[in-house]
């Protein structure tokens, strides 16, 4: 990493801790304040990062070319993209997508707090990334109590070098995080810095009874929450909490496009109308989208603006991840209380969406904190308010067993 020792590092760290505390609504706990102070974030960023410009597009920022902007990004209370396009040079500068990043410091502290750490506990981290999170863990517990798995060889090498330079010689393993790391088991805690749609069985098997797993959660509809699980003999259970967004674990990702994978020539969709606004389903109503993601499990959405369809200004596409069923909801640019719906496939997908949304409203619009997850040998199951409520979605028409997540 570039040596920017001349920069006002201490002031930057103090400013970052104040920003994190403000977002948390309380001061950063002393043990994590000490770790953030002792392990400067900029020592773990690569010399080249990618930052959003005024139009929201990613643009490279190099510490050798623009050290002030690079250093400023290191101490903003925000995520920083540290790799694009899987580490490959893009053919087009405008065709960039983030493939690795440094998480928001507030989110880092939140997740570390959720681990409920104390000296002597062994921790496995899934997704080393820059190594900063592992460094904070190592400062708190000692490097010998921390192991970290990273799937990308280049990212793993960079993180290992940064950790060694900080004299925090955490064991960094290049491998598939979904498999955990069996040579070090059992662990008291597992923390994942990538989101999952299924909690890998290996994580549960490698965690001691009474141990804790903290991971971001994702559904095809929305990745937005954290999940904190407690391991018990025979079952694992925990609750969700809101406001997080992480990249999905690589082996759980799907790469679907409506006109490449879903909609095909010769399909004859049925036509109907709806009063449910597509913006309530595909817009910024995060709590509704989170609940729909849990309820429908395999459904995703995407917008098409100004489609080449007479009388249609905006269209919301809804499809299943197996590309077998889809729906399109059209807005004519004028009416906001009635929309045309097209549906194709074995499932009447928009009917399922309407039923799920009505269920969410009938249950007083529950937020993420009211939902939980139980994992047994039989699979994973979502519940609302009470773990004894094994299938809160059982009354939904056209959504049989939608709470079964495995």
């Amino acid at each position: 990493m570039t040596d920017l020792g001349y920069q006002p590092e201490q002031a930057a760290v103090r400013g970052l801790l104040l920003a994190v505390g403000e977002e948390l609504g309380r001061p950063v706990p002393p043990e994590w304040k000490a770790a953030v102070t002792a392990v400067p974030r900029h020592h773990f960023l690569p010399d080249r990062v990618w930052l959003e410009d005024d139009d929201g597009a990613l643009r490279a920022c190099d510490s050798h070319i623009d050290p002030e902007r690079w250093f400023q990004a290191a101490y903003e209370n925000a995520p920083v993209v540290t790799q694009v396009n899987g580490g490959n040079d893009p053919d087009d500068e405008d065709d960039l997508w983030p493939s690795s990043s440094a998480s928001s410091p507030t989110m880092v502290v939140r997740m570390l707090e959720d681990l409920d750490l104390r000296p002597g506990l062994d921790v496995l981290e899934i997704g080393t990334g820059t190594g900063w999170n592992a460094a904070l863990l190592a400062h708190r517990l000692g490097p010998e109590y921390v192991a970290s798995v990273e799937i990308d060889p280049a990212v793993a090498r960079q993180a290992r070098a940064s950790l060694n330079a900080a004299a925090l010689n955490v064991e960094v393993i290049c491998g598939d995080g979904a498999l955990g790391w069996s040579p070090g088991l059992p662990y008291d805690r597992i923390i994942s810095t990538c989101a999952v749609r299924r909690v890998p069985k290996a994580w549960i098997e490698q965690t001691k009874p009474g141990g804790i797993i903290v991971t971001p959660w994702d559904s095809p509809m929305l990745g937005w929450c954290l999940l904190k699980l407690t391991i018990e003999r025979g079952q694992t259970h925990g609750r969700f909490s809101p406001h997080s967004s992480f990249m999905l674990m690589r082996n759980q990702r799907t790469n679907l496009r409506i006109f490449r994978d879903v909609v095909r020539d010769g399909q004859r969709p049925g036509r109907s109308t709806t009063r449910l606004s597509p913006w309530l389903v595909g817009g910024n109503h995060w709590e509704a989208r989170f609940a729909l993601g849990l309820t429908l499990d395999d459904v995703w959405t995407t917008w098409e603006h100004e489609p080449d369809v007479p009388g249609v200004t905006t269209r919301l596409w809804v499809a299943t991840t197996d590309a077998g069923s889809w729906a399109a909801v059209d807005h004519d640019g004028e009416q906001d209380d009635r929309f045309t719906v097209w549906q194709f496939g074995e499932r009447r997908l928009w009917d399922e969406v309407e039923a799920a949304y009505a269920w969410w409203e009938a249950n007083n619009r529950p937020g993420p904190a009211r939902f939980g997850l139980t994992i047994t040998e039989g699979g994973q199951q979502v519940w609302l308010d009470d773990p004894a409520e094994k299938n809160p979605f059982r009354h939904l028409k056209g959504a049989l067993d939608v709470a079964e997540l495995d």
Side-chain angles (χ1 to χ4, degrees):
M1 298 301 95
T2 301
D3 181 8
L4 294 176
Y6 64 91
Q7 293 280 5
E9 179 181 304
Q10 293 182 342
V13 171
R14 287 196 298 270
L16 178 60
L17 287 167
L18 286 172
V20 171
E22 182 175 346
E23 189 168 341
L24 290 173
R26 50 186 164 73
V28 176
E31 65 272 23
W32 298 117
K33 180 179 179 181
V36 171
T37 302
V39 184
R41 192 183 188 215
H42 76 271
H43 288 176
F44 290 83
L45 292 185
D47 289 330
R48 172 172 289 187
V49 298
W50 285 262
L51 309 174
E52 287 189 0
D53 63 15
D54 292 339
D55 297 321
L58 288 175
R59 294 289 180 256
C61 176
D62 196 298
S63 64
H64 299 288
I65 298 172
D66 192 352
E68 291 187 6
R69 180 69 188 98
W70 183 92
F71 186 81
Q72 180 185 12
Y75 288 97
E76 288 176 346
N77 187 24
V80 178
V81 175
T82 55
Q83 185 196 70
V84 296
N85 298 51
N88 301 312
D89 292 330
D91 296 329
D92 184 349
E93 187 185 34
D94 293 323
D95 187 23
L96 298 178
W97 49 272
S99 52
S100 190
S101 66
S103 302
S104 157
T106 294
M107 186 54 57
V108 169
V109 172
R110 271 189 60 197
M111 293 178 69
L112 292 173
E113 284 187 284
D114 279 350
L115 285 178
D116 189 22
L117 293 176
R118 56 185 181 273
L121 297 184
D122 291 301
V123 179
L124 176 64
E125 178 190 43
I126 308 299
T128 315
T130 66
W132 190 54
N133 197 70
L136 297 174
L137 285 166
H139 181 273
R140 174 84 171 89
L141 300 172
E144 66 273 23
Y145 292 99
V146 182
S148 186
V149 182
E150 170 58 52
I151 195 169
D152 188 298
V155 173
R157 285 194 300 270
Q158 181 82 60
R160 192 179 295 114
S162 297
L163 286 160
N164 291 343
L168 296 168
N169 302 95
V170 170
E171 182 180 18
V172 177
I173 303 100
C174 184
D176 184 353
L179 303 177
W181 180 239
S182 57
L185 65 80
Y187 300 96
D188 298 287
R189 304 287 189 266
I190 291 182
I191 181 171
S192 175
T193 63
C194 55
V196 297
R197 294 176 179 172
R198 305 286 185 274
V199 177
K201 186 177 181 181
W203 296 2
I204 297 171
E205 293 175 341
Q206 294 176 20
T207 305
K208 297 176 184 177
I212 293 172
I213 296 173
V214 174
T215 180
W217 182 262
D218 185 280
S219 75
M221 181 76 74
L222 178 70
W224 189 51
C225 286
L226 292 178
L227 174 63
K228 179 179 179 179
L229 295 166
T230 300
I231 309 302
E232 295 181 358
R233 297 190 185 278
Q235 71 173 18
T236 297
H237 61 87
R239 287 184 177 271
F240 296 95
S241 60
H243 313 314
S244 73
S245 180
F246 284 76
M247 295 178 190
L248 186 62
M249 178 173 280
R250 294 192 184 189
N251 64 12
Q252 295 189 14
R253 295 177 187 175
T254 54
N255 180 21
L256 293 169
R257 297 182 183 180
I258 286 292
F259 295 112
R260 185 191 67 190
D261 306 307
V262 180
V263 178
R264 305 183 186 282
D265 293 339
Q267 294 177 337
R268 296 182 177 276
R271 184 180 185 277
S272 59
T273 60
T274 183
R275 292 187 179 277
L276 178 60
S277 168
W279 283 277
L280 293 176
V281 174
N284 296 331
H285 296 263
W286 306 119
E287 293 189 341
R289 285 173 61 79
F290 174 76
L292 291 174
L294 288 180
T295 311
L296 301 175
D297 185 39
D298 63 344
V299 174
W300 57 285
T301 64
T302 188
W303 289 96
E304 183 183 7
H305 300 289
E306 303 296 338
D308 188 18
V309 179
V312 179
T313 61
T314 306
R315 170 172 282 176
L316 176 69
W317 289 96
V318 183
T320 54
T321 53
D322 67 2
S325 300
W326 58 263
V329 185
D330 292 343
H331 182 230
D332 62 8
E334 297 179 1
Q335 294 189 82
D336 289 323
D337 60 349
R338 188 178 292 274
F339 308 88
T340 299
V341 179
W342 305 93
Q343 299 188 82
F344 177 85
E346 293 184 1
R347 293 167 60 179
R348 297 276 295 180
L349 208 53
W350 190 254
D351 294 355
E352 291 186 23
V353 169
E354 287 186 315
Y357 191 88
W359 174 89
W360 179 71
E361 286 200 315
N363 283 274
N364 299 315
R365 301 186 174 190
R370 288 182 59 191
F371 288 99
L373 185 74
T374 295
I375 305 173
T376 64
E377 288 294 327
Q380 301 184 155
Q381 193 162 12
V382 171
W383 42 267
L384 177 70
D385 295 328
D386 183 357
E389 179 66 30
K390 295 298 184 183
N391 186 352
F393 313 126
R394 64 186 179 276
H395 301 302
L396 294 179
K397 294 180 180 179
L400 299 177
D401 297 325
V402 294
E404 294 291 344
L405 299 182
D406 194 7

